[in-house]
Amino acid sequence: MRLAIASDHAAFALKSALMPWLQAQGHEVDDLGTHGPDSVDYPDFGHALGMAVASGAAARGIALCGSGIGISIAANRIAGCRCARVDDPLSAALARQHNDANAIALGARLIGEEMARACITAFLNTDFEGGRHSARVAKLDAQPPKREEA
């Protein structure tokens, strides 16, 4: 599977550890940065990951920052990217089964390398369930409703 992976400086070490593991499993991995531990802005890397997934350049995405929160928000600003911030294999599997997530975000300061691997494995090996979830996911991808004036 072709994957995109991106991180900020807080998750650079985790990204560096995960990439060879993903490649050893036969995945093609596009490293969207950052490429070092110097301070950077996570929105830039979340945007790049969201674009890669939404455009189809990557089948799935893995976003990493200190908490996983900021980069997931940035990725989700791109229409067509459904990035779920997860902490454990169950939340990663449910993100795929029920929400057809095409990207996950992990917090490098919150989980270790082994838990990150377990989350990614669940995410990559779980299929979207479809059925009753399909209409809900379609609403996620639809244009948001207009806000009424207060």
Side-chain angles (χ1 to χ4, degrees), residues 47-99:
H47 181 268
L49 184 111
M51 292 296 291
V53 172
S55 72
R60 305 249 180 99
I62 300 166
L64 308 164
C65 72
S67 67
I69 297 168
I71 202 163
S72 68
I73 293 169
N76 280 319
R77 296 219 174 217
I78 306 302
C81 181
R82 293 177 304 280
C83 184
R85 188 195 162 282
V86 302
D87 290 314
D88 55 71
L90 178 58
S91 59
L94 288 172
R96 284 287 308 134
Q97 282 180 327
H98 294 184
N99 309 113

Side-chain angles (χ1 to χ4, degrees), residues 23 41 50 58 68 110 144:
Q23 291 165 332
D41 297 331
L110 304 177

Side-chain angles (χ1 to χ4, degrees), residues 85-123:
R85 188 195 162 282
V86 302
D87 290 314
D88 55 71
L90 178 58
S91 59
L94 288 172
R96 284 287 308 134
Q97 282 180 327
H98 294 184
N99 309 113
D100 198 18
N102 51 17
I104 58 170
L106 303 166
R109 292 179 176 147
L110 304 177
I111 64 172
E113 185 180 333
E114 291 306 311
M115 183 57 75
R117 288 181 183 189
C119 291
I120 292 167
T121 298
F123 173 67

